[in-house]
Amino acid sequence: MTTADLVDDFDPTDPRVVQDPYPVYAAMRAKCPVGHGSRFGGFHVLSRFADVYEAAHNPEVFSSAQGVTVPDFGNPMTAIPLEIDPPEHTRWRHLTQAWFSPAAAQALEPDIRAIVTRQIDAFADRGHADLATELAVPVPPIVIARMLGFPEEDWQYYRRLSEMMLEAAANEDSQVNAEQALQLFSYLFEALEDRRDNPRDDMLTRIVQLQFDGRPLTEDELLGITFLVAVAGHETTVGAIGALLLRLAEHPEVRAAIEARPELAFSASTSPAP
């Protein structure tokens, strides 16, 4: 099967697309910037930045309220504020926006550096490692565990549940998806209930104490916010770190430039993939 075949009936879960999506995206932009896929009930995909930008700013036509993932992740709760359209989206976002500000991120830097250093120290003496599984995969969920207030060792548990939900969704296995979702939401609910009774200086406690329009949040709303931070908050970062490390491996001249001038690291981490 050629790249053109992958474009004609686009499937984001196809292993060939997952392995290297960029040629498929490039072919889609060149051939027909609005792609279509027949799986998961049928869907369309925008491949050009200008079109994606326009859609993101036109919620009346391109609503997020019915879900934002292909395939459907199987989340029984509304992921807040991701799956809420403006103007309510803006009001919900303001509740938690300060937790993810640049200043808040900078305050986390020492802890994150310590986590990354610890992961690297675990394999440095070997002289080699699978950087995807030994660095990119564990760091984001460990950081999220620290932020939320989960026991750090639990990161493997809730990451495994989220991965199984994703896999079940891709296989269109609603039963397995629902079973994993139930386990994950039970875990999150128990953690929130604990903070209600035993508040601490962590994000779970701040979530429990949130109010919207002067009222406490419902259980579904609390779970919707916590789910988004716990799962969506790290899944994309795992992919971004892995892609960055791969790019540095494939382009030694970029790696050499960063080693010579470490201040270039930030721009390298925010540059688009080729």
Side-chain angles (χ1 to χ4, degrees), residues 146-188:
R146 289 270 192 94
M147 291 173 61
L148 283 165
F150 295 146
E152 184 177 317
E153 61 272 15
D154 284 5
W155 74 266
Q156 296 186 60
Y157 173 72
Y158 65 77
R159 175 163 178 81
R160 179 178 60 81
L161 290 178
S162 65
E163 285 181 332
M164 293 179 71
M165 287 178 67
L166 282 169
E167 183 178 348
N171 293 331
E172 300 181 87
D173 189 335
S174 58
Q175 179 177 346
V176 171
N177 185 283
E179 291 170 353
Q180 303 310 311
L182 179 61
Q183 288 190 51
L184 179 58
F185 277 89
S186 295
Y187 173 84
L188 298 178

Side-chain angles (χ1 to χ4, degrees), residues 26 41 70 115 183:
V70 177
I115 292 168
Q183 288 190 51

